[in-house]
Structure formats: structure tokens, C-alpha cells
Amino acid sequence: MSVDVVTFGEVMVRLAPPHFQRLEQARSLDLEVGGAELNTAVGLVRLGRSAAWVSALPENSLGKLVANRVREAGVSDRHVRYTDGRCGLYFLEFGAAPRASSVLYDRKDSAISRVTADTFDWPALLAGARWFHVSGITAALSPGAADAVGAALKAARGLGLGTSIDLNYRAKLWSREDAARVMGGLLRDCELVIASEADAEFLFGVTGADFPAVAEGLMARFGVQAVAGTRREAPLVWRNRFAAVGYSAGKLYESAWYDVEIVDRLGAGDALAAGLIHGMLDGDLGKGVDYGGALGALKHTIPGDLPWLDAAEVEATLQGQGLRVRR
Amino acid sequence: MSVDVVTFGEVMVRLAPPHFQRLEQARSLDLEVGGAELNTAVGLVRLGRSAAWVSALPENSLGKLVANRVREAGVSDRHVRYTDGRCGLYFLEFGAAPRASSVLYDRKDSAISRVTADTFDWPALLAGARWFHVSGITAALSPGAADAVGAALKAARGLGLGTSIDLNYRAKLWSREDAARVMGGLLRDCELVIASEADAEFLFGVTGADFPAVAEGLMARFGVQAVAGTRREAPLVWRNRFAAVGYSAGKLYESAWYDVEIVDRLGAGDALAAGLIHGMLDGDLGKGVDYGGALGALKHTIPGDLPWLDAAEVEATLQGQGLRVRR
Amino acid sequence: MSVDVVTFGEVMVRLAPPHFQRLEQARSLDLEVGGAELNTAVGLVRLGRSAAWVSALPENSLGKLVANRVREAGVSDRHVRYTDGRCGLYFLEFGAAPRASSVLYDRKDSAISRVTADTFDWPALLAGARWFHVSGITAALSPGAADAVGAALKAARGLGLGTSIDLNYRAKLWSREDAARVMGGLLRDCELVIASEADAEFLFGVTGADFPAVAEGLMARFGVQAVAGTRREAPLVWRNRFAAVGYSAGKLYESAWYDVEIVDRLGAGDALAAGLIHGMLDGDLGKGVDYGGALGALKHTIPGDLPWLDAAEVEATLQGQGLRVRR
Amino acid sequence: MSVDVVTFGEVMVRLAPPHFQRLEQARSLDLEVGGAELNTAVGLVRLGRSAAWVSALPENSLGKLVANRVREAGVSDRHVRYTDGRCGLYFLEFGAAPRASSVLYDRKDSAISRVTADTFDWPALLAGARWFHVSGITAALSPGAADAVGAALKAARGLGLGTSIDLNYRAKLWSREDAARVMGGLLRDCELVIASEADAEFLFGVTGADFPAVAEGLMARFGVQAVAGTRREAPLVWRNRFAAVGYSAGKLYESAWYDVEIVDRLGAGDALAAGLIHGMLDGDLGKGVDYGGALGALKHTIPGDLPWLDAAEVEATLQGQGLRVRR
Amino acid sequence: MSVDVVTFGEVMVRLAPPHFQRLEQARSLDLEVGGAELNTAVGLVRLGRSAAWVSALPENSLGKLVANRVREAGVSDRHVRYTDGRCGLYFLEFGAAPRASSVLYDRKDSAISRVTADTFDWPALLAGARWFHVSGITAALSPGAADAVGAALKAARGLGLGTSIDLNYRAKLWSREDAARVMGGLLRDCELVIASEADAEFLFGVTGADFPAVAEGLMARFGVQAVAGTRREAPLVWRNRFAAVGYSAGKLYESAWYDVEIVDRLGAGDALAAGLIHGMLDGDLGKGVDYGGALGALKHTIPGDLPWLDAAEVEATLQGQGLRVRR
Amino acid sequence: MSVDVVTFGEVMVRLAPPHFQRLEQARSLDLEVGGAELNTAVGLVRLGRSAAWVSALPENSLGKLVANRVREAGVSDRHVRYTDGRCGLYFLEFGAAPRASSVLYDRKDSAISRVTADTFDWPALLAGARWFHVSGITAALSPGAADAVGAALKAARGLGLGTSIDLNYRAKLWSREDAARVMGGLLRDCELVIASEADAEFLFGVTGADFPAVAEGLMARFGVQAVAGTRREAPLVWRNRFAAVGYSAGKLYESAWYDVEIVDRLGAGDALAAGLIHGMLDGDLGKGVDYGGALGALKHTIPGDLPWLDAAEVEATLQGQGLRVRR
């Protein structure tokens, strides 16, 4: 039973004090699960694609809990390995202007950080799929995890799958030098790269007057065929303006701009990635940018990292449906 | 023990996931009760009028729960009948831009859908009251319920009560044709009709350059004496601008416009209706529009369908009280 | 991808006021999902078997919610049909002596009540499976549902699957006469029947001095090969004694008796059925009775209808593990 | 619109930390309302009688909240006065053996403590009613409140109503001397007195070998016609055995004994009083003892002070209905 | 073990219905503690100063609860006296435009209202400290409390401590005349006064064209050396613009203006006072205004009265850190 | 400012699903803090002694949260060091018979595991104190932590403090061999050892016919002067019988046996230790056993690890106060 898309990465248990409390105040924590590549897989399933998420989890209640929620969201957990190591956690504080939201990671020594290039049989696992997606976070978890990402991308290219990577540089996980070296290598096997202009400059020194210029720079340097990203105006914590942008073959695509009232901003970029891949599966980056912009915007309105929406809702938003109560 | 106002309609148990969750995510649901005509009766009680709500409920825990809450809100449940049939339910998802709030109804075969023209002894029940109010939703529930609305309006007119109807067209409950035919008949017994310009056009083909023109059209066609409605600018889900408008005897009334921060938009139109009737009971549509605008605006700030406010608060708002903490 | 066991039945959304409240008091309801055949399928998955649940659900948020939770619990929802009709609901009040717990059903016109003998292609759907399980509740939902149960059992027998039915007579769903007629027909295709002595007598007039005698009566009358049931001493609502019993080929099996502190009694019988089938899949009714007793007893300690336990925990209980905190 | 029973007393807002927390640990408090005489009025309404509750409340949100809940429970608040003074509060900690539950009162200077003999027009207010009930707590609130109780009892006797008082001695509210003097005076106007043997001895020095002897002592001393009380065996906090007892005209009545699993013990004695009066209204103390025992036992199973039960449930308990889930 | 700053005032238990409910709707209340002078002491501790809070509390669970929370927030409770009297309470309703938030006080006869000039040995208690802070609320509680404030200020001046007072006029606690007389006396011993222009005019008739003019007026009249205050633009309840302002020695200081998304506005002024004193301890009113503006703005984002922030966060805000998620 | 008692150990953040949920079901977790030595320190403070807790915490929100709660409970955090490393966590599932409660530790690489013999200046830190207490868990955290325990005990003995250790063997933390070697060394500096007979045998091979025999064995082997322990009969998870036992100088002390209804069993042994030390500080092991039995029994009734009780409550329990509601 093959799926359309395979993603690879870590899912952490997310613990957040309710109602804008600081962690110091908390007497209870809301529990969600999330991780960039799972979030994207869920977005794809909600848009009508099938998806599997590859990872390693500890053989305990927290590992089971994560796998349960993966299946609940409609994503296959068939390829998850249960190994030694912890379940990664992160603690989230919701903010309000002028206090930004903040995340405290507690993910060291997680099960997935122990994987190696050989943990998964990528050719077997990817057979029959059409796309493989990963983010730079997975590569940052450990050298073994970076090797596994490399092996996965190679296998995917060998099988003719489309491939995408979201740069997602996280300074707490690795140095600029390590990230530049490892990610630079991985990008050579990627068809689509999702990158901010800041990361492109910080990691690779690629700059430009505008998004097309930066995209051309990445394309020239790494041979990727398409570059996409998020546009965000963030004057407040509870309200942003949001859009998706993409560039390929000399053409720039920009989605509609959305005013978003923000319930939970986490996972919005990953939902955007899902929209992009949804379009790419139809060979249409413009469609991907449109769906990515709408799905990413809508994600802000939903608690947790996962985009609990469906294709009909995304399409109604694309068509400019208003904000009256739907009855 | 007669009351000032009698209203007739369905109350449903409302179930909503907390904190902007989608229904699919829910592990608990907040329970409220609400229904257009009850909401209006409660608004009147909060403004100092007495009111009774007429309906049919199932003889089970949910039916009792609804009646309890009706009394809690200060409205008489003396005329409620307990019959076969279910308790209507609705599931509410709170939205955030660009995701509108949405309602999933589960009200088929409710107790009130089984009433007929003879279920209630309207002349006895209305004796001593001064006003009767209903909405188009009641008439849409079943042919029997429509007959009961007709009987109630006839009885009210016969006893000299003021009468009002809120068109409230709901496409999920009946077709345009049925609604136009039934509502057209009922309007002939109404003194005040609350209608949006969209409904006036959709149901009756009544159009006009502005609100007075549409109101004149409805007055000419159905013999009603006053027409009122809601003005709303809704650029976002959490924030609107809101006002009431009324027209009668060639004169247009418009309330102040209110910036509203929206906790719960449901029942705002019904609270507006309460303000209107409060004015009409004093023979003063202008007062009704002012109170309707203020009570309707304030309702947005309160969870649940019911306007838990009082006359003093409404009047302070009318007088432009600011937004500092009241101590 | 075939599974070990297929079950067929309704899942309802279960809504319960927290902390022993009466429904009339409720301001929020805890939401779980449950249905006899799903509960059993989940129990089998937790014991290490694979299982699929067959049903019909409405194409709305509640239907999706149910399917999500089915997958979360590790059961396949591949064969679920989305059709017209409602999502069945039930409202649960938790009791305490001398007040029994109580259930208010609101399941009329559910999607599954609209299925017919032809809705599912049973031979295709059951191919590769080893066991089919259903309860009398499914047959009671509508004549069409009863026909579908009949078709499923016939197909299962034709394919050589083991089959089991839990009588589970529910007086609110059908009359004794209808139940006796329909269930009598279905039993003829069952290998294992789970029945209380009370139901055996009430429906079929089968009585006896003890469990073996009643079991022999059912075996003689319907040709079933094994009969099993629950033993319960219930002096209080929060504490019972519990065991499983089974009879086949002239031999009586009884599990250990368990003192149970009751968090949530619903689904205990369905968990017991899972244990029974787990044993039957190994051709060992005695093992089934042991696992059924332990899993059924453990289920009482877990909120919701589903037995969130695993094989290791069941086995530790079978081996008499004590009640000290496990660290 | 007269009612069957009128009661007079204080209702406090009750604030309790959830789940057995100590107050010192609390970050939220569950809010209920309760007061002996309201609890009894509610019990009567649930058994099918009509009842009004007389009191004084402050003119603020807390006062309104209390009145709302009174009406929600089906009791008339028509005679409530809104005056100066606070809303009485009490803080409740739920215990577990060996820690008893405990109450911290914060009721000083409550609105009702300011009433006088003239605050209420008792003859008008009681006209048409059949029974008046009060407890010693009301008399203990202030000399004015004691005067009002005296006036009420006199008026009730003058109008031919049955009268009852529950001694309910509270050492924190008044001294033994004051209580003995005031209550001794009030008892002379009571038909039925509800008293523990401990209170009878402590306040009046009335002792005896058994309940009939004590009852005879009270009857001889104060001219009351019937004496009733609670029987309780309380080896633990979460589990008691409970029964009602009554004595009149030389005859002893004892209800069935109930094993009770205790969700919330507060108000059980007041529910027992409701059952007693329910019987007395039919001139049948034996019936009163039976209903009092059953309603009092059932009350233990419900959170809050109010007995959210109905006559059918009480009667099923009287008939020995078992503890299986009611479906 | 002396501390940097000593404050003196009442802490009340604060009870608020969740999620914008009106008190009338509440079934549970969130519990926090707060009081102007404690809030300021906590702010100072969070900025790195040590602080003690002086007060009187009742010897019961509520009194202990308050003291626990004082210590939890890092403030010393060493000098708290346990006496007769109640624990002050206040009930808070959160609003939304056009409904302002509101507070219902229930603080009469609190323990601290019973203190006198002799309750505390101020010279001993203040020895070693560098600053003493109080608000007009403490002085308003009772004549004895006002005497105690006077004694404290005298002792502080005698020991060479810096002193500050926040006028904080509360009309519900005392008359304009009493406030003017008492506060006028107290100001003569204050180095820094925090005052709104409205209070300055209302209490003392001090007016002026702008803040410096008003400040000069207060300085001339009472001999204070610095005057500070809050600047607020409040077009909505959920969103304000906020800044601090200060004036001394002919120089005006104004902090940055902050757009604040408001979770909980209470205590923002007290946090501002903490920032002011933090600067004054370094002899730098300008620094105080900057820190006061930032800490006050940030406080709006945190539930409860206390500013759960730290110096690093305040400094990042002062340096214009953006609103992206901090990882 | 010296304290009576100093304890040394780890505090973890404890996360538990509410209402008997399994971790796999959890959507929120209740947060408490606890650790054996803190629990004991809190018990001592509640009995009227002063106490400080020595530990290392990470310099992040979780570390601050722990320190806040330590102070909230009245224990000094003055000697806590902030270092690298994680904050230890543990996940707790509450059970019900036949399912035991269970704990999942996630404490690897915690800040305290990085301490060494030199991290704390024990002689300075213990100066002025009268007792030092620790448990075997601290020694098990790392060799450095074991060294620190050794240094502390040596310093305590050098300064003439009483010393106690609770063996508390945890198989997940270290091997029998390591534990026996390390603990054997530490016991030589202990005056009082708290040990189960099982641990005494498992670690040291010390056995005996009864508690005095085992105690004599430990005294002979390690030179300790007193041995104490817990007696528990645990037929169910929600109900136990509990007592304390102690032996010294040839004399056996046993507390009263308590029937305990169990809200939260964690920390009961640590509360017992507090009672023991409370007696030892008065040179009275018999008093210690009595207070230990009562405080330990009472602890079962309180959520969280900490014994939120006071001396008056413990003494009322010692005097056999009943289980009626305390008003």
C-alpha cells in the first residue's frame, strides 16, 4: 500500500501552559504533538493526498502516544522504528505584544537522534511514492540523522521521486558552519527548497535584491529547480498578514495575502509546505503557492501544530469566502 | 401572572469545542443553550421586561436542562410542553480570520417540529401580554410549526398585542419557495419585521437603493409598520463594527456604531431584537434602535447565546462610558 | 493488507458531564467515542492482533472525528462508508451508590441504520481475515443493518473465518420478539456466542441450573460451539468483582476473579470479548477466558469505552502483579 | 400563584478547590450555591411539590447569581429582597480518610443577617401555602433574623400551615446559651423538628436510651408532634451507611439503610428534610421517612448542595433498583 | 537579612470567571492573588532587587494561601502579621469592547484594616532597606491603616530610605475629602509620587497644561522630588498603547510607546512602579521610566496581577526585540 | 538565618494525565513538583520546623518553576545552584485495581546529576542547623551526586547534626551492587535509617523474623542508632491501611493504623520521614513514629507530592478526630 508522499523527521510532545500563562505559573499543560515533517504530511492528507511519516520513537507511553496521534491525523506510521532514547519534548509559552511567544526545547538524546544511514531501508520504503520531503531540522539532530536524510534523498532521486527540503535553520541545534556544509550537500538532491531570504544569506551567503534574485542564487549554486517561502508582516502577536511565494523557471508566483487572527502560529510554515507539494504533485508551482498560502494562513487559526482543515475549506478560502458564520 | 412579552421557538443544546478547536480535535465540549426567540426573551428580561417562552421539549434530561436554563435566565417556562421527539442540538466551531466560525445542526425530529396549530391555546396563553415575537426559524421547522406560528400571530393581533418577526432565512431548513410563501403569509400579521436587505431580496424580490427603500417595499407589500435590521462591518472574525437601523413612518433611525471585540457572536441579532421590542413597548422605534444597537453590540462580548447584561450596563454604553476597568 | 479480525457495528460520540454531575447540571461534556464492536477491535489490537472496523458514518465533522479516533486506537477504518444520516450520540451520567450510572441514547436515524445487505462487499472485505465479530446491537439498528449482519456472517463462514456474536439485548432498540427471531437466525452462523444467562432466557427461553447448562442449551438450539459470558458481583457502583467464564466441548473455563475499582465500566464486556477472540485465534478458549477476564477487569480502570492497555499489562495482571506503584 | 411549601434562610456562594485539593493549593474554585432551606425547597420541587424560598440578597452580581440558580432549580425567588450587606460565602475542602472534609465560612455581615421581624409580610407571603420550613441556622444569623423566623412561624401557625425546623446547631454562629433560648422558643411553633440526639442533649439537655425516648423528651418539652433525624455510620469519608428515622404518636419509623458512595455529602440532611415534608404533606410520617432516607442517600452522589434527582429516581431506589447501568 | 525594598499593603484573593464569562454565568472561578504593593514588590524581585511585603493576614487557609504565593513570587513574607479579620476578596469580570472589565470588591473588615500605627515596628523592619513603597489604597483601608502608612513613611525618611507612593484613588474606599486630607499629609514624606493627572486635579486641585506642569504643581505643594505616571491610549479592551512618563528637576522622561495585546491589564500600573523604583535605586529616573514602561507593557500579557517576567525579557523589549517566536 | 533541617536531593516536574487517563489518552497534564527530600522538608515546615532544600537546577523556566514552588511551600531555596543540565521530569499514571499506578521517569542528565563533592560548601551551608536528611535516590543519580551526599553527611556529623537517610532503592537508577556499596558507606554516617525489610535484604542481605530483628541487623552492620519504616496493607489502589514503625535501643514503636482513602500516594513515605525527624529533633523516636504515621496517612489524601497539612491537623488525627465535616 504505497502513499503519495513520504516525510522524515522528529515529532515532539509539545507542552504548553493554557491561556497565555508563563511556564512558571503553570499548574497544567496542554499536550499536543508536532514536528515539521509530520505537520506537512498531515497537511497533504487533509488536501487529499496519502502520506507516511518516517521516524524513530522510544518504546514507551510517550512514543506510543505520538504514533497514535500520527494515525489519528490520517498519516501512516508503518515505517516508524521503536528504539532507545527519549521522546523529544518542547515547552511553549504563548505570547502577546510586546511579549513574543517562546519555545523551550528538551529534545536532547531523542530516539531519532540515534538513527544512522542504515536504520531505514529507503529504497524499499519509498517504492511507489511520488514525493519525499524533509527539513533541515532532521539533519541537525545528529550526524547519523543527517546521514539518514542524505540516504533518503539519494534513494528518492534514484527512484524518480520529487524531493523538497525546508531549510529551517535552528541555531540551538547546530552551528552555521555545520549547517551550511550539511545542508549544502543535501540541497543538491532537492527539486524544491523552501527558504527564507535570511537563511539563504546566513547559511550560504546567497543574497539578492528580491525573492527571484535570491531564488536564482540558490538555483545556480545547488541546482534546485524551485524555491519557495513565506511572506509575513507581523506587527502584533495575535494578528499578522501572511502569504506564500514561489519562484521557478524565471517565473514568480505569489499567493493572496491573508489577514490572520492567530490562535497558534506553530506549523504554519509546514502547512504552507504541504500546499506547495500538493501543487508540485500536479506539476504546478503556482497552484502550490496558492494552496500553500491559503493552508498556511488557515493553520494560524487552529490550536496545535497540525492543520485540521480540509480541501473544501482551503478552496473556499482561495475563492474568497467571507467571514460570516457558516451554518 | 401575565408577562409583557411572549416568544415562541426552539431552543437547542449548543456544544462547542473550547479555545478555537475544530470538532475533530475535541475531547470536551462546552454546553450552552440557545435559540433565537429565547435569546430575545432573555434580552427583554435583562432590560426590565417580563417574558415567557413557548416551546415543546422532550421529556428527558436534555429537555429539563433546557427548561432549567430558561428559568435561570429569568424567563417563564410555564407554557412549555413536554412531548415526543429529540432535543435539537448544534455543534459550534469558533473561527479566526481567515476561517469563519461554523455551525453543524443536528436538530431533525426535535420535539418542537411536532407541534401543530392546536398544540397551544394561544388566546389563553397570550392574554395579558403586550407583545408577541417569533422568527422565521420556527416557521421553517415543520409545516405544523408554521401553522402554530400563524395561529399565534392571529391570536396576538386579535388580542391587540404588538407583533414582530425576524425573517432569519436558513437555507438548510427550507427552500426559498417555501420560505417566501409561508413568511409572506405571516408578515401580514406583523407590526415589526426584522430583515436583512439580502433576505428581503432573496425571498420577496424586494430591493431598493438603501434601507428606507427596502423597508418601504416590505411595508407596501405586507402592510408591516416598521422594518429594522443589523448593520455590520466584519473585516475580521474577532472584531466587527456593529449598529442597529430602523425605519417607520418615513423616518430612518440608526444607532451609534460600536467597535466590538467578539467573544461570541451568536445571539447578537436576537439581542438587537430585544432592544427593538423594548423600545416598541414604549411606542418608540428610535429608542428601540438605540437599545438594540447597544444590547446587540454588548452581546458579542459574552460567551453563550444569551445576553447576560442589565439595563444599567446598556444605558452606560448608550451614554458612551469608556473602557477603563470599572471598580 | 489483510487483518486478523474484522468487526462490524456502530460507533457513537459519547458525551458525559464531568465528575458525577447530572446532565441537568452540565456546563461541559467530556467527549469520547465508543461502540461495542470497535471496543472489541481495539482490545484485539492492544493484545497484538490487527483489526478493521466496518461501519457507516455521516460525511461531516462528527463522522470524521469518529474515524480519526478509530485510527488513533490502531484499528483500520479502510472499510468505513460515508453516507447520509446522523452520527449517533449517547449521553452518559456516572453514578455512585445508590444511584446507578445511566445512558440516554440519541442514535435514531444514524448513518449505519441505513445500510443494507448490499452496502458492503463482505467476501472482498473479509478475504484474508481470520475472525469476524459483531454484536446484537448492530442487528437491532434497523432491518437493513440486520440483513448486513446476516450477509457478513454468511460470507465469513463461507471463507472459513471464525465468527462470534455478543447477544447484548437492548430493550430500547427492539422488541423481544424481533430480537429473538433475528438473533436466532444469526446465531446459526456463529462459532462463539457471548451471552448472559438473563438474555438467553429472555430471548430464547433457554434456562439451566448453571452456566454449562445454559451454554449446552444454546449450543443444542443454535449449533454454536462455544458460549462465554461475564461474571460480576456489583455491591457498589465504584467497586465490583469481575471474572470471565466460557464453556465448550463439555468443559467450563473460569478466569481469576478481580476486585475492580471502577473508573468507567463501559466497554468492559467488549474488552472481555477481545480477550476471548484473542484466545480463540489460538484455538484456546481457556486462554480466551483468562485474557478476557483480565482485559475486562483492567478496562474498568480507564476512562472512555476503549481498553488503553497492552499485552504486557494484561499478562502482568494474569500473573498476579501487585498494586504497588510501578516505577 | 401560591406554592406548596415556603422556606426561609440564607444561600451562600460555595467555593471549593477541585479534586481534593487543599485551599492553599487552589488555582481555581468550583462555584455552587447552597443553603439548608434552599436545598430542602429544591428537594421538594424535585419530588413534585412547588416551593418558594424567602431570603435577602445583596444587589450585586453575586446576589443575582444566587437568585438565578434558585430559579434554575425550579424554586420561586419571588419573595427575595435585595438589600445592603454582603453575599455569604463558604469555602469547602473535600477530604478523604483520615482527613475529614472541612468548611471555612465567610458569611459575616451578609444581607440576610440584616433582616428584622418586619422585613417580610409573612401572612401575605404564606397565604395559600401548606407548609413552612426553616433551620436553626437562619435564627443564628442575627437577632433580627431570629425575630423574622419567629414571626414567620407564628404567621404560619396562624394560617394553619404545617411547620418544621431543623435544629442544625452551628457552634461558630452562636453560643449554646443563645441557641438554647432562641430555639427553645421557636420549637413551640413547630409541628416537626429534625434533630440529632447530640443537639437535643447539648442544647436542651434532653437525653434518652434511644431515639423514641429523645423524641418523647422533645415532644414533652416543646409540644412538637413529630421528631425526625438522620442515621449515619461513617467509617470513611467516601463511603457511609445512611438512613432516616422518625417518631410520632408513639410510633417509630425507619427507612431502609443505604450504602452510599459519597461524591458530595453537603445537603444530604436537607434532602432528607424534603422527603420528610413530602410525606407530611400527605399526612404520612412513614412515607416521609422513606422518601427522606432515599432522597438523602441519593443526594450524596451529586456534586453541589442541591438534590438534582426526580421522583421517579427516588421511587426506583425505594423499590430496590440495582446498580447496573441504566440504558 | 535585609532587602532592597519594603512595600506595605493589602493582598486580596482574586476570583475571576474564565473566558469572559459574567459572574452570573460562572461555575468556576480562577484564583489569583494580588494587591498593588505586592505587585510592585514582585516586579522589583523580577528585575533583580530583593523585596519584602508587609501586611496583616487572617490566620486561616486563605491567609496562608496568600503568604504562600508571596513567597512563590520571591518576595519575603517575614514581616506579615496574622490577626483577626477576613481575607479581602475581589471578583473580576474580563470585558471586551464595548464592555469594560469590572471589579466587585468584597474586602470589608479585612485583617489589614485592623492594623494601627503600632502594629509594626517600622524602624526595625526597615533597617537595612533602601526604599519604601506604598499606595493610597493602603491608607484608604481604615484610619488605623492610614496611621500605619504615616508611621512607615516617617520611619523610612528617618532612616534615609527613598520613599514612593502611588496615589491610586479609589472612590469606593473613601471620600475625596478624606483622601485629600490623608494623602496630602503622606505626600510630604515621599520622594516620588505616582499620579494620574485626573487624580492630581480631583484630590488636590492641581492642574496644568501638560504633565510637567502638573508635576511641578505637586512638587511645589508637597515637596516631592519626582512625579511619574502612566500614559495609555485605550481604544479597545484587548488592545492599548502604553508608556511611562516621569518628571524631576525640570526634566521630562518618556518611555517608548508599546502596542499591547491585553491578556490581563490588572497590575500594569504596579509593574510600572516597580520599574520606576528600579531606576530610582540607581538614582536614575530616566532608567526608571524606561524600565517602568517596558515592564508595565509586558505585564498586560500575563494572567494574574503579578509580573512574571525577568530582567532579560524587559531588556530585550527595551532593545526592540521583535515578535517572532523565540526558540 | 539558619534553619532546623537541611535536606539534599532532586526535585522533578511531575506531569500526570487527569482523572485516571493513560498517558496515551492525555490532552493535558497536571503539573506538580516533587522529590523525596523536598517532600520531607515541606512536611517538617508544616509541623513547625524551618527547613532548607539543597539542590541544583537548570537556569531556565522549569528550574525557576521548581524553585518558586519550593518557596511557596515554605522551604528555603537559598542554597540551590543553577547549572547546566536538564530539569528532571516524571510522568505519572494514576491507577485503580487491578491496574497499579505507574511512573515513567525522564530524568537523565538532570542538573543535579552533574554535582560533585565540591559543588556545595557543606560546612558553611549546614552551620546552625540541627538535622540533615537525604535519600538513596540522590546518591543514585550519579557518582558525583553520591560523593556530594557523602560530603554532606560527613560535614553534618562533624558539626554534630542528627542525620537520616531513606534507603529508597530504585532499580532503574542503579544496580544492586552499586547501591549496596555506596549506601553501605553512607549509612555509617547516619543516625536514623528509614528502610523497608525488602530493601534491607535485597541490598545488604540483612534479614530477620520481624522488624526489630532487621533493625538490629542494620544497627549492628552500620552503626546506625535507629531504624524506621512504613507498614502498609494495600488490598486496593484507592484504599490502604497505613502505619509507621520505629526501633531504637531495643524498643519498638508503632503508630496507630490508619484506613486511608487514597487521592495521591506519592510522597507518603517522605511525609512519614518528616514526622520521624520532627520527633527526633525532640529526641523522641516514639513521637516521631506517631507523627510520621499520622502525617504519612494524611498525605495520601492530598494531590501532589507535598504534604499540605499543618501541625493542628496532624495532632487532631493523632487524637482520633472523626470524619464528620469540620465546620
Side-chain angles (χ1 to χ4, degrees), chain A residues 148-159:
Chain A
V149 172
L153 284 169
K154 290 266 179 261
R157 293 301 278 234
L159 290 162

PDB file of all heavy atoms in Angstrom, chain A residues 148-159:
ATOM      1  N   ALA A 148      21.139   9.885   7.422  1.00  0.00           N
ATOM      2  CA  ALA A 148      19.885   9.252   7.021  1.00  0.00           C
ATOM      3  C   ALA A 148      19.127  10.142   6.041  1.00  0.00           C
ATOM      4  O   ALA A 148      18.515   9.661   5.081  1.00  0.00           O
ATOM      5  CB  ALA A 148      19.021   8.960   8.251  1.00  0.00           C
ATOM      6  N   VAL A 149      19.149  11.455   6.276  1.00  0.00           N
ATOM      7  CA  VAL A 149      18.495  12.368   5.324  1.00  0.00           C
ATOM      8  C   VAL A 149      19.171  12.253   3.956  1.00  0.00           C
ATOM      9  O   VAL A 149      18.500  12.173   2.909  1.00  0.00           O
ATOM     10  CB  VAL A 149      18.545  13.825   5.829  1.00  0.00           C
ATOM     11  CG1 VAL A 149      18.047  14.781   4.755  1.00  0.00           C
ATOM     12  CG2 VAL A 149      17.726  13.984   7.101  1.00  0.00           C
ATOM     13  N   GLY A 150      20.495  12.224   3.974  1.00  0.00           N
ATOM     14  CA  GLY A 150      21.216  12.104   2.707  1.00  0.00           C
ATOM     15  C   GLY A 150      20.845  10.823   1.975  1.00  0.00           C
ATOM     16  O   GLY A 150      20.576  10.828   0.761  1.00  0.00           O
ATOM     17  N   ALA A 151      20.813   9.726   2.725  1.00  0.00           N
ATOM     18  CA  ALA A 151      20.470   8.443   2.114  1.00  0.00           C
ATOM     19  C   ALA A 151      19.058   8.473   1.550  1.00  0.00           C
ATOM     20  O   ALA A 151      18.775   7.927   0.468  1.00  0.00           O
ATOM     21  CB  ALA A 151      20.609   7.328   3.152  1.00  0.00           C
ATOM     22  N   ALA A 152      18.161   9.098   2.268  1.00  0.00           N
ATOM     23  CA  ALA A 152      16.771   9.165   1.820  1.00  0.00           C
ATOM     24  C   ALA A 152      16.664   9.969   0.526  1.00  0.00           C
ATOM     25  O   ALA A 152      15.973   9.572  -0.427  1.00  0.00           O
ATOM     26  CB  ALA A 152      15.905   9.794   2.916  1.00  0.00           C
ATOM     27  N   LEU A 153      17.329  11.104   0.491  1.00  0.00           N
ATOM     28  CA  LEU A 153      17.244  11.944  -0.704  1.00  0.00           C
ATOM     29  C   LEU A 153      17.848  11.225  -1.911  1.00  0.00           C
ATOM     30  O   LEU A 153      17.283  11.262  -3.013  1.00  0.00           O
ATOM     31  CB  LEU A 153      17.950  13.286  -0.458  1.00  0.00           C
ATOM     32  CG  LEU A 153      17.176  14.287   0.399  1.00  0.00           C
ATOM     33  CD1 LEU A 153      18.069  15.457   0.808  1.00  0.00           C
ATOM     34  CD2 LEU A 153      15.955  14.818  -0.381  1.00  0.00           C
ATOM     35  N   LYS A 154      18.964  10.591  -1.691  1.00  0.00           N
ATOM     36  CA  LYS A 154      19.584   9.844  -2.797  1.00  0.00           C
ATOM     37  C   LYS A 154      18.628   8.773  -3.313  1.00  0.00           C
ATOM     38  O   LYS A 154      18.420   8.620  -4.510  1.00  0.00           O
ATOM     39  CB  LYS A 154      20.879   9.162  -2.311  1.00  0.00           C
ATOM     40  CG  LYS A 154      22.028  10.091  -2.012  1.00  0.00           C
ATOM     41  CD  LYS A 154      22.958  10.233  -3.221  1.00  0.00           C
ATOM     42  CE  LYS A 154      24.112  11.202  -2.917  1.00  0.00           C
ATOM     43  NZ  LYS A 154      23.895  12.557  -3.443  1.00  0.00           N
ATOM     44  N   ALA A 155      18.064   8.026  -2.385  1.00  0.00           N
ATOM     45  CA  ALA A 155      17.157   6.955  -2.801  1.00  0.00           C
ATOM     46  C   ALA A 155      15.950   7.525  -3.529  1.00  0.00           C
ATOM     47  O   ALA A 155      15.486   6.976  -4.538  1.00  0.00           O
ATOM     48  CB  ALA A 155      16.706   6.153  -1.567  1.00  0.00           C
ATOM     49  N   ALA A 156      15.446   8.629  -3.025  1.00  0.00           N
ATOM     50  CA  ALA A 156      14.275   9.248  -3.652  1.00  0.00           C
ATOM     51  C   ALA A 156      14.603   9.679  -5.071  1.00  0.00           C
ATOM     52  O   ALA A 156      13.837   9.419  -6.023  1.00  0.00           O
ATOM     53  CB  ALA A 156      13.818  10.449  -2.819  1.00  0.00           C
ATOM     54  N   ARG A 157      15.746  10.334  -5.238  1.00  0.00           N
ATOM     55  CA  ARG A 157      16.136  10.754  -6.585  1.00  0.00           C
ATOM     56  C   ARG A 157      16.319   9.544  -7.479  1.00  0.00           C
ATOM     57  O   ARG A 157      15.930   9.549  -8.653  1.00  0.00           O
ATOM     58  CB  ARG A 157      17.437  11.572  -6.536  1.00  0.00           C
ATOM     59  CG  ARG A 157      17.262  12.914  -5.835  1.00  0.00           C
ATOM     60  CD  ARG A 157      16.213  13.768  -6.513  1.00  0.00           C
ATOM     61  NE  ARG A 157      16.746  14.465  -7.646  1.00  0.00           N
ATOM     62  CZ  ARG A 157      16.678  15.783  -7.851  1.00  0.00           C
ATOM     63  NH1 ARG A 157      16.018  16.544  -6.993  1.00  0.00           N
ATOM     64  NH2 ARG A 157      17.195  16.329  -8.912  1.00  0.00           N
ATOM     65  N   GLY A 158      16.907   8.504  -6.926  1.00  0.00           N
ATOM     66  CA  GLY A 158      17.129   7.302  -7.716  1.00  0.00           C
ATOM     67  C   GLY A 158      15.829   6.675  -8.205  1.00  0.00           C
ATOM     68  O   GLY A 158      15.770   6.120  -9.316  1.00  0.00           O
ATOM     69  N   LEU A 159      14.797   6.792  -7.394  1.00  0.00           N
ATOM     70  CA  LEU A 159      13.503   6.214  -7.755  1.00  0.00           C
ATOM     71  C   LEU A 159      12.654   7.184  -8.549  1.00  0.00           C
ATOM     72  O   LEU A 159      11.504   6.884  -8.880  1.00  0.00           O
ATOM     73  CB  LEU A 159      12.751   5.796  -6.492  1.00  0.00           C
ATOM     74  CG  LEU A 159      13.324   4.588  -5.748  1.00  0.00           C
ATOM     75  CD1 LEU A 159      12.789   4.537  -4.321  1.00  0.00           C
ATOM     76  CD2 LEU A 159      12.939   3.300  -6.484  1.00  0.00           C
TER      77      LEU A 159
END
